[in-house]
Amino acid sequence: MLSIIILAAGQGTRMKSDLPKVLHKLAGKTLLEHVYISASRLEHTKINIIYGYGGQKVPDTLSHLQANWVEQTEQLGTGHAVNQVLGDIPKTGKILILYGDIPLITYETLSELVESSSDSGFSLLTTYIDVPSGYGRIVRDEVGNLIKIVEEKDADDEQRKICEVNTGIMAVEASLLEGWLRNLDNNNIQGEYYLTDIVEMAVQQGIQIKTISPGSVMEVKGINDRAQLSELERYYQLIQAHHLMKNGVTLIDPARFDLRGDLMTGEDVEIDVNVIIDGSVSIGKNVIIGSNCYINNADINDGTVILPNSYIENAVIGRDCKIGPFARIRPESRLDDNVHIGNFVEIKKTEVGKGTKINHLSYIGDSSLGKNINIGAGTITCNYDGANKHKTVIEDDVFIGSDTQLVAPVTIKKGATVGAGTTVTRDMESGELMHNKIEHRSVSNWKRPVKK
Ligand code: UD1
Ligand code: CA
């Protein structure tokens, strides 16, 4: 039986932010969610999260997490924080303690840590860091047994030279932890109740604490300021990029690719530089995405080409479509196969049937378009009367000339034709042609005015 505790009550002074530190985002998810996701893969009974700084902001923002939220009204130290939740935790079984600001810890490392605590009842995750400043140092005796942890601020010069550091992450028997926490004091430089002091208590009780190391030191790097946040962001992005490449995606430059969510890909996808994928996105086989595209919560099917500088949000794009360059596909849009959306075209809440082309400079919103329609350059659906939105319906095989306004609600039936520059204010019949009556005035040999 495993209970999990995530400490997340601190402010994070060095972030210089109103937002509690654990709500800052890494690859589109909050730091706390990263920790939660890795921890929740372990077989466990409950995840307890200690929050404090920012009041209800943390539990409110992350209310979708299944957790026991426990408030620590005053942040009196990591030991004090764990004490807040002890009453909610079974007295037998193991406890895993994690920090909300160490986001890249993996499930694999955590399960090894929990497993290894079975022998003595206490396992600690430590690592070696070249410049260990800021971390608690691991003090060992002459035969290498762990004897205590000294916080940097309390350490002497010799202890500061130690490069083995406390990650803060530990697995411990519930029955042991309770007694130690009761005996913590705050007689140290920071006047805090240090969780790390339980190490010395355990050693005095004759417990041999097992230490293990993470697969990579990046897993246990804590975030204290925005520079560290960006360092972990880049590291994590590269890991994701390599995972995609392994699955058959060509990334022209993995250092200039950002995934802030979950991406499913088919084989032979090619992604050019500076593409951002956000939310939940799926991309089919043989899809090409040009440079500088932003794609959020979309489904892009096989063989489609997205040309540079396109923006796609909450949309489904069929097979073999050609989108962009400079196209904007807004939420609730569904494009069927073989659709072409060209430059400076905005599509919103619209269905577009197979083979329809909207190639230049248009706004099509709140509309339903059939198959094989050609929409000329500069066509606007006038969907808004200042108070309400109205629908435009365009049936199969319609031809709309350039610079046309379709004043909704309006329906244009199958095969109808609209001449260039027309303002359509009523429904059109199937096969009908509508154009503005234009009287041309013509002067032969016209002399242009000359400058006086
Ligand atoms: C802590 C460890 C240090 C370790 C380092 C690793 C202690 C005393 N020190 O130091 O040995 O090397 O982490 O990153 O444990 N928190 C609360 N309530 C509190 C205080 C802290 O919830 O009253 C939470 C913070 O939000 C944070 C975590 O505990 O998620 C660590 O706190 P922080 O103040 O960053 O500890 P460090 O000084 O980094
Ligand atoms: Ca810290």
Side-chain angles (χ1 to χ4, degrees):
M1 203 166 43
L2 176 71
S3 303
I4 295 168
I5 301 176
I6 304 177
L7 304 188
Q11 172 184 6
T13 330
R14 281 172 282 168
M15 295 300 281
K16 303 261 164 66
S17 175
D18 252 2
L19 202 62
K21 178 161 69 177
V22 294
L23 291 185
H24 283 262
K25 284 185 177 170
L26 186 145
K29 287 192 189 91
T30 63
L31 300 181
L32 185 52
E33 281 170 296
H34 281 276
V35 179
Y36 179 93
I37 289 167
S38 292
S40 61
R41 287 180 59 195
L42 297 163
E43 209 174 294
H44 65 274
T45 50
K46 215 196 287 177
I47 296 186
N48 304 274
I49 305 177
I50 317 288
Y51 68 99
Y53 179 78
Q56 295 306 305
K57 239 186 216 170
V58 177
D60 284 353
T61 309
L62 301 177
S63 58
H64 56 282
L65 303 184
Q66 265 191 30
N68 174 38
W69 293 95
V70 178
E71 188 170 11
Q72 182 194 24
T73 42
E74 268 187 293
Q75 284 79 61
L76 302 179
T78 47
H80 180 261
V82 174
N83 235 329
Q84 306 307 301
V85 68
L86 231 45
D88 295 0
I89 285 179
K91 303 283 172 270
T92 55
K94 290 175 181 177
I95 297 178
L96 173 67
I97 299 174
L98 294 161
Y99 290 4
D101 61 352
I102 303 184
L104 299 188
I105 187 72
T106 61
Y107 159 76
E108 288 76 16
T109 297
L110 293 179
S111 60
E112 195 190 334
L113 182 75
V114 171
E115 186 61 44
S116 74
S117 71
S118 294
D119 300 342
S120 70
F122 195 168
S123 267
L124 185 69
L125 192 65
T126 72
T127 191
Y128 289 85
I129 293 187
D130 291 342
V131 186
S133 53
Y135 288 91
R137 306 297 206 280
I138 300 296
V139 182
R140 292 181 185 271
D141 65 16
E142 52 292 339
V143 292
N145 287 324
L146 177 54
I147 48 177
K148 64 175 175 178
I149 297 174
V150 204
E151 288 307 296
E152 166 147 303
K153 287 183 179 141
D154 301 290
D156 60 32
D157 288 347
E158 276 311 297
Q159 289 167 334
R160 278 189 196 176
K161 286 184 195 148
I162 300 171
C163 288
E164 188 184 5
V165 301
N166 173 32
T167 66
I169 298 170
M170 58 180 77
V172 54
E173 256 333 301
S175 53
L176 295 170
L177 185 64
E178 199 180 1
W180 298 329
L181 283 183
R182 224 183 289 127
N183 292 320
L184 281 185
D185 62 45
N186 60 354
N187 298 327
N188 51 57
I189 295 271
Q190 304 190 77
E192 286 183 5
Y193 295 91
Y194 290 164
L195 178 61
T196 44
D197 286 350
I198 67 170
V199 167
E200 211 174 345
M201 297 177 184
V203 171
Q204 275 160 14
Q205 229 171 290
I207 291 173
Q208 279 233 333
I209 299 168
K210 172 107 181 168
T211 56
I212 72 155
S213 303
S216 152
V217 68
M218 298 307 272
E219 279 187 45
V220 294
K221 286 220 168 160
I223 288 175
N224 296 304
D225 59 36
R226 295 185 200 235
Q228 289 168 337
L229 180 60
S230 74
E231 188 195 337
L232 287 201
E233 172 82 30
R234 287 329 311 160
Y235 168 80
Y236 190 68
Q237 289 299 347
L238 264 188
I239 299 245
Q240 295 189 126
H242 280 266
H243 180 74
L244 289 172
M245 291 189 285
K246 230 181 255 168
N247 286 315
V249 176
T250 293
L251 291 172
I252 300 297
D253 182 357
R256 283 182 290 168
F257 167 75
D258 288 87
L259 168 56
R260 300 173 188 162
D262 303 300
L263 173 61
M264 301 236 302
T265 50
E267 283 178 12
D268 295 309
V269 168
E270 187 181 311
I271 301 180
D272 209 335
V273 301
N274 296 332
V275 167
I276 299 175
I277 307 279
D278 206 341
S280 172
V281 172
S282 85
I283 298 178
K285 283 188 293 192
N286 298 306
V287 167
I288 296 175
I289 299 181
S291 55
N292 306 317
C293 288
Y294 176 78
I295 300 173
N296 182 344
N297 289 313
D299 199 348
I300 297 168
N301 288 286
D302 299 356
T304 284
V305 177
I306 315 279
L307 293 160
N309 300 298
S310 294
Y311 181 108
I312 298 171
E313 188 184 1
N314 279 321
V316 176
I317 317 259
R319 294 167 184 242
D320 302 312
C321 292
K322 201 174 146 205
I323 311 293
F326 297 98
R328 181 171 182 207
I329 317 288
R330 292 174 53 198
E332 295 181 60
S333 296
R334 282 187 89 86
L335 315 187
D336 207 329
D337 301 343
N338 282 302
V339 165
H340 291 193
I341 306 292
N343 40 210
F344 310 110
V345 172
E346 176 181 349
I347 307 283
K348 188 212 80 173
K349 207 174 180 181
T350 288
E351 278 166 41
V352 182
K354 273 200 184 83
T356 287
K357 297 186 175 76
I358 313 168
N359 271 331
H360 328 267
L361 300 157
S362 290
Y363 170 65
I364 307 294
D366 301 300
S367 304
S368 172
L369 274 58
K371 289 184 288 210
N372 300 318
I373 294 165
N374 190 78
I375 306 272
T379 296
I380 308 287
T381 53
C382 308
N383 60 332
Y384 187 50
D385 60 13
N388 297 298
K389 299 277 170 66
H390 302 282
K391 195 165 178 186
T392 300
V393 177
I394 306 175
E395 295 184 357
D396 299 350
D397 304 314
V398 163
F399 180 95
I400 310 259
S402 298
D403 192 23
T404 292
Q405 297 84 48
L406 306 170
V407 181
V410 67
T411 296
I412 301 175
K413 292 242 169 85
K414 194 169 185 319
T417 304
V418 178
T422 306
T423 303
V424 180
T425 56
R426 63 151 172 86
D427 292 352
M428 285 176 66
E429 288 311 312
S430 183
E432 184 185 351
L433 165 69
M434 186 191 286
H435 62 86
N436 289 353
K437 186 170 170 235
I438 302 166
E439 284 176 12
H440 292 286
R441 191 169 74 104
S442 166
V443 177
S444 308
N445 297 317
W446 169 249
K447 295 272 182 299
R448 277 190 241 139
V450 288
K451 212 170 181 177
K452 294 217 170 77

